[in-house]
Amino acid sequence: QVQLVESGGGLVQAGGSLRLSCVVSGRAFSSYGMGWFRQAPGKEREFVAAISRSGSSTYVVDSVKGRFTISRDNAKNTVVLQMNSLNPEDTAVYYCAATVTGYSSNEDSYKYWGQGTQVTVSS
């Protein structure tokens, strides 16, 4: 059984930073491409960032490019989303997800999901 547990969410003022972590247990972590998604109130869940199995390739959505960085530590079974220069539009529940098909912006590619962590950015 693969489990993903996110942490690091919270309330922050606009311009601030948060660091989200996701720890994966179960099958070998390095066999998964990893992604972060978010869902704001009343909106569809959307892709934020993804990273390949080795960590050598990353992809972030344009709306967070230059502000968010995704990284992973395969020795610690952890993927991190570093979020800087946050603004109220970043307020959402953030989900970590794992895929066996490389890495992707398509949420249908992801088989395993965490429970989500709330990020709230005040103006």
Side-chain angles (χ1 to χ4, degrees):
Q1 182 75 6
V2 178
Q3 291 186 323
L4 288 73
V5 179
E6 303 101 333
S7 62
L11 174 63
V12 64
Q13 289 188 333
S17 298
L18 282 174
R19 181 181 175 90
L20 304 184
S21 295
C22 174
V23 178
V24 180
S25 61
R27 183 179 164 187
F29 177 65
S30 59
S31 66
Y32 297 117
M34 298 298 298
W36 285 95
F37 292 78
R38 67 185 180 184
Q39 187 167 20
K43 294 187 177 182
E44 296 288 320
R45 187 160 58 187
E46 65 173 356
F47 168 79
V48 177
I51 189 166
S52 62
R53 297 181 182 96
S54 67
S56 60
S57 298
T58 62
Y59 173 52
V60 296
V61 70
D62 285 347
S63 61
V64 307
K65 196 166 292 182
R67 300 189 298 122
F68 292 11
T69 303
I70 187 171
S71 61
R72 68 189 294 162
D73 185 338
N74 285 350
K76 296 182 178 179
N77 288 11
T78 300
V79 60
V80 170
L81 185 68
Q82 177 66 44
M83 306 187 296
N84 299 327
S85 301
L86 286 160
N87 58 61
E89 290 71 36
D90 297 316
T91 295
V93 177
Y94 283 71
Y95 297 91
C96 170
T99 175
V100 298
T101 60
Y103 72 110
S104 172
S105 61
N106 182 353
E107 69 172 82
D108 291 336
S109 300
Y110 290 83
K111 183 175 182 180
Y112 304 105
W113 292 82
Q115 81 288 351
T117 186
Q118 176 71 47
V119 170
T120 303
V121 184
S122 63
S123 57

